[in-house]
Amino acid sequence: MEATIFNTHDVVLLMTAYQCILFAILLLTARRERRLTNTLLALFLLQQAAIPLDILISFGAEFRAIALEWSPNLFYVFGFGYWLEGPLLLWYTRSLVYKDYRLTARDLLYLIPFAVYFLHQLLFYYSLDFTTKKVIQETYDLQVAPHYMNFVTLFRDLFRAALGVMCLLEIRRYGKHLKHNYSDIDKLDLTWLRLLVIGFLGIRVWAVLVAVMVILSIMYGVSVDFGAAGLFGNYITFILVSVLIFFGLSHSTVCEGLETRTPEAESSKEETGKDKFKPEMAETLSRWMEDKKPYLIPALTLEKLAGQLHVPSRTLSNVINRHFNCNFFEFVNHYRIEEAKRLLADPQTADKNMIDLMYEMGFNSKATFNALFKKKVGMTPSEFRKQANQ
């Protein structure tokens, strides 16, 4: 029992794999809502667990010896996780930001790199006899391995990073959707999803840098310590996975998503909306906001306001965007801020608590209220109230 079996680097990789597998099992067994979304996230985590196992077998001395003793067929099996985790994260993101999302044949195109790599490994490694594969692994040296595989690794990590950027674009589009359809977005938290996507995008970009360092060192003789860079990436991945699991239960706070449609259909609908725009509708909307004060309802949405005015929600959105030059969130909260200024300056409300007044104005969050008020007025609500009373 006195012999050291694993070093610290191996333990970090093992813990990363263990955490991912544990969280994946939790998603598949304990969470019943949003079945497709949870399944995609669980599969993504399982691929994340496969990556450190591939690193251990390929570069960990103890694990490499154990794998060789068991079977040389274990090599490269877990490496397929690199090619799968990118598409899975993209599909998971889309399953959150699109309403009634389903995988289509177009989504499966992202599996082409995985299929090509799988075919390559099948032809050039797994088709070999057992003895040959064992000799290859026993004499394996990164310095003399086929150099084209270094470029395959670089392409792999660039592909993963590109899919990460696509995830960010989907989240950005969803954020715009929220502000165009909701007047209160405090409960619609995208923090966990952004942390997930941005965190793994950063890890993928770092992996690209490591792949470049490997090519520079092995093929061009540039002196760079790509081993230390790789270890640093392993530790960052472990920390990120730990943080994500700690805050993981909040990932279901994303609200109802966008309609699933192609960019061409979106463009067509926008043009149709522009044709329906009538200037007199802007005047009707302004009078409704001033007389009926629907903005005092905290959960007011574009769809609810459109229903009150008996107009299609897309038409109402075009009126707000084109005539008032803002989105729905900014439009409604402009009226709330004006109402706040009126109430804070009214001597009859001088004894009222700020929180009570905030709810009367239609706000649900003190932080949002203070931030929007200061942005519009140039001072905090308390400072405005004090100045108005003087």
Side-chain angles (χ1 to χ4, degrees), residues 318-337:
N318 274 289
V319 172
I320 294 173
N321 295 342
R322 297 183 63 202
H323 183 83
F324 297 96
N325 196 30
C326 61
N327 57 47
F328 181 73
F329 178 81
E330 296 167 335
F331 176 74
V332 172
N333 283 293
H334 162 75
Y335 283 93
R336 288 174 177 167
I337 295 300

Side-chain angles (χ1 to χ4, degrees), residues 85-100:
E85 56 98 21
L88 285 167
L89 182 58
L90 178 61
W91 297 339
Y92 167 70
T93 303
R94 286 178 172 176
S95 72
L96 282 176
V97 304
Y98 287 101
K99 189 187 300 182
D100 300 325

Side-chain angles (χ1 to χ4, degrees), residues 60-108:
E62 295 86 357
F63 280 89
R64 188 175 184 84
I66 294 171
L68 268 173
E69 185 179 342
W70 285 1
S71 172
N73 289 321
L74 286 173
F75 288 84
Y76 311 124
V77 169
F78 296 106
F80 292 115
Y82 286 103
W83 301 92
L84 292 173
E85 56 98 21
L88 285 167
L89 182 58
L90 178 61
W91 297 339
Y92 167 70
T93 303
R94 286 178 172 176
S95 72
L96 282 176
V97 304
Y98 287 101
K99 189 187 300 182
D100 300 325
Y101 178 75
R102 293 292 181 271
L103 290 174
T104 64
R106 189 174 181 179
D107 291 314
L108 299 180

